[in-house]
Structures are given as structure tokens and as C-alpha cells.
Amino acid sequence: MTRTHQSHRIVQSENLSALRQLPDASVELIYIDPPFNTGVTQARTRIKTVRDADGDRIGFGGNRYRTEKLSTAPIYPDIFDDYIGFLHPRMVEAHRILKPTGSLFFHIDPREVHYCKVMLDEIFSRPCFQNEIIWAYDYGARSTKRWPAKHDNILWYTKHPTDYTFNLNATDRIPYMAPALVGAEKAERGKTPTDVWWHTIVSPTGKEKTGYPTQKPIGILERIVRVHSNPGETVLDFFAGSGTTGVAAARNGRASILIDQSPGAIELIRQRLAASPVTRSISQ
């Protein structure tokens, strides 16, 4: 894959005021992962372990380690008295900013998705609703009083009901569930995904983890970026958080505009983009 040198604009700002400064029809793709209105404050503490004979934990081979607190990841309140009232003006701006063939991907959870879809139907129109993608994962605690909630919802809307960017051949391919039924050639090639995306969460112990409390996997974002934009185009994320949208854009030859009001999030985004290939960042 040929990668071009693209710029990435990082904006520390309240996002509604920043959106109102962006020109009409200026970006091809918008992905957002807004607060889910969970009613709690989102935070995560970063730690590291250091070999210490008097340490507080035992590791591999019986060696003792000392736990050191590095910092607290960016913290934000996830509590809204009027959640749809908070989102609505931002979605109106998103619609204005999208190019005629552009797409919005709105990442939310099952508790709020139905309210959000009604709002987006009003702004984008029902014919511009294309898919509800189910991101399914299997990690974490399991309820014994109801079926465990192990998925998020991603609503895909387009600016135009039929004329939009959709490069299916650019997607990654996934294994067949019954490869013996399709033959060796097809099984080796794999199949294109459906609207149910099985993908693990960011591993708490993996290299991808940044410590940001709501970080989403790079694999999910890369699939969206590759299929719903073209090299050289611009991707916007105005709840930028850990910066995964910008990293996915950088890896695939797209520019990005990343907006967040948290100083901690902005610093994390700068660090991640600096470590990404073919990246030039502009901070505001």
C-alpha cells in the first residue's frame, strides 16, 4: 500500500465551538465515540511494576515486584441531564461539515442507541441510514441476572442516500465459520465482514493499550477508514479521546482533524501520532 504524507490537525477545544469553525462539506468521514451517558466518571490509573525484593506482588518465577503509580489517565464525567440535547447541535454541525459522498459513524451502547437513532434520522433523514453495526466482544464480567451485555452499536449514516464512498474491496477479510463447506480456495481468502463485527477489546495488558478509559481497538477504526474514505481525504473525530481515529488515518494515508477539550487526551494524541508512520501534526 502506498502511503502519502498527510497532516493531522489536533485541536484542544470544546467541540461545538470548534465544529462551527470548520467549513461546509469539508471532510469525507466522521467517526465519533461520544460519552455513553453511563452516569459515572470515566478514569483509569496507569501503573508499572519494578523488580523489588520487598515488593507488594509476586510475578513470574516467584520474583517480587513493586507497584508504582505513573499517573491517572484523562478523566471525564459521563453524566448528562439531557443527553440528546447535548448531542443534537453537534450532529447538525457534523451533517453540515460532511462532503456530499461522506459518512458519519456514531459509536454508542445499547442503552442509548434507540434515542440516538431517532435523533440522527431527523438530522440526516431515514433514507440516509445505511447500517447498524454490532461490535461484539467477549471479555469481562458476566451477569447472572440477565444476558451479559457484550456489544456496542455503531450507526452508519451518509450525507446522500445512494451516492457515498464504500470501498468494500479495501476491507480486511475474516475467516469462514464453516470453512469445509466453501472449499480450500475460499477458506484461505476469507470473507468480507457483515454488520456484526467480532473483535476483541483493547487488551488491558497488550501493547495497544494507552491507559485511556474508553480506548477503542485500532482494528475497528482501520476497517471504517479504509472502506469509507479514500487515500488523501480527511477524517474527523470531535470526541477524539485516545486518538485512535488519527492513528488509523495516519496508517492508511488519510489526513485527520482531532478535537478534544482534555489536555491529557491532547497530549496522548500527540504522542501516538508522533509514533505513527508518515505523520505530520499541527496543534491548535
Side-chain angles (χ1 to χ4, degrees):
M1 176 175 55
T2 301
R3 291 175 174 173
T4 56
H5 190 97
Q6 298 296 336
S7 65
H8 299 271
R9 183 177 167 195
I10 305 169
V11 182
Q12 183 178 346
S13 171
E14 188 280 321
N15 57 16
L16 184 56
S17 58
L19 289 171
R20 287 171 173 163
Q21 297 179 39
L22 296 178
D24 294 355
S26 56
V27 303
E28 184 66 28
L29 173 62
I30 299 174
Y31 168 87
I32 57 168
D33 176 25
F36 285 4
N37 197 27
T38 60
V40 300
T41 296
Q42 298 287 350
R44 182 168 295 164
T45 299
R46 300 187 181 114
I47 64 171
K48 72 174 181 178
T49 55
V50 179
R51 185 82 170 267
D52 187 332
D54 298 320
D56 59 325
R57 61 176 66 196
I58 298 175
F60 181 75
N63 296 310
R64 299 196 72 88
Y65 292 83
R66 179 180 74 253
T67 303
E68 293 185 356
K69 180 178 177 181
L70 296 178
S71 64
T72 299
I75 298 172
Y76 65 87
D78 192 6
I79 306 166
F80 297 87
D81 292 331
D82 183 3
Y83 186 54
I84 298 302
F86 164 75
L87 290 171
H88 191 277
R90 291 159 174 82
M91 297 306 103
V92 170
E93 292 300 316
H95 185 268
R96 177 186 64 80
I97 293 163
L98 273 178
K99 288 184 177 181
T101 56
S103 291
L104 167 75
F105 280 77
F106 183 99
H107 194 141
I108 193 65
D109 74 1
R111 297 173 309 101
E112 298 285 352
V113 64
H114 41 295
Y115 303 112
C116 294
K117 186 179 185 303
V118 171
M119 171 192 66
L120 291 170
D121 282 348
E122 173 198 338
I123 296 169
F124 281 77
S125 80
R126 293 186 69 177
C128 289
F129 169 70
Q130 303 297 341
N131 275 118
E132 179 178 10
I133 295 164
I134 301 300
W135 169 35
Y137 42 84
D138 190 11
Y139 185 88
R142 292 181 178 274
S143 173
T144 59
K145 298 184 181 298
R146 60 187 177 95
W147 296 113
K150 299 295 179 185
H151 79 272
D152 286 1
N153 307 66
I154 306 175
L155 302 175
W156 171 29
Y157 282 81
T158 54
K159 188 75 169 276
H160 189 278
T162 58
D163 183 15
Y164 49 81
T165 300
F166 186 67
N167 303 317
L168 184 59
N169 288 337
T171 190
D172 56 309
R173 302 181 78 86
I174 61 176
Y176 282 92
M177 295 183 70
L181 298 180
V182 300
E185 184 179 345
K186 280 190 173 182
E188 183 178 357
R189 187 169 68 247
K191 61 182 180 178
T192 55
T194 67
D195 60 356
V196 178
W197 295 0
W198 284 93
H199 195 296
T200 184
I201 66 168
V202 176
S203 170
T205 58
K207 292 183 179 180
E208 188 180 340
K209 185 189 73 168
T210 65
Y212 195 85
T214 57
Q215 181 185 355
K216 299 302 185 292
I218 187 68
I220 295 292
L221 269 299
E222 286 204 277
R223 182 178 291 173
I224 292 170
V225 166
R226 288 172 183 161
V227 175
H228 299 279
S229 66
N230 299 298
E233 293 179 334
T234 299
V235 182
L236 168 64
D237 185 346
F238 51 89
F239 290 96
S242 66
T244 302
T245 303
V247 174
R251 288 185 178 184
N252 293 279
R254 278 73 164 169
S256 67
I257 303 172
L258 307 169
I259 303 170
D260 204 287
Q261 64 182 353
S262 164
I266 293 297
E267 180 57 30
L268 178 57
I269 292 168
R270 290 195 189 107
Q271 292 172 5
R272 295 188 75 191
L273 285 178
S276 296
V278 246
T279 301
R280 179 167 58 90
S281 299
I282 303 170
S283 296
Q284 289 187 308

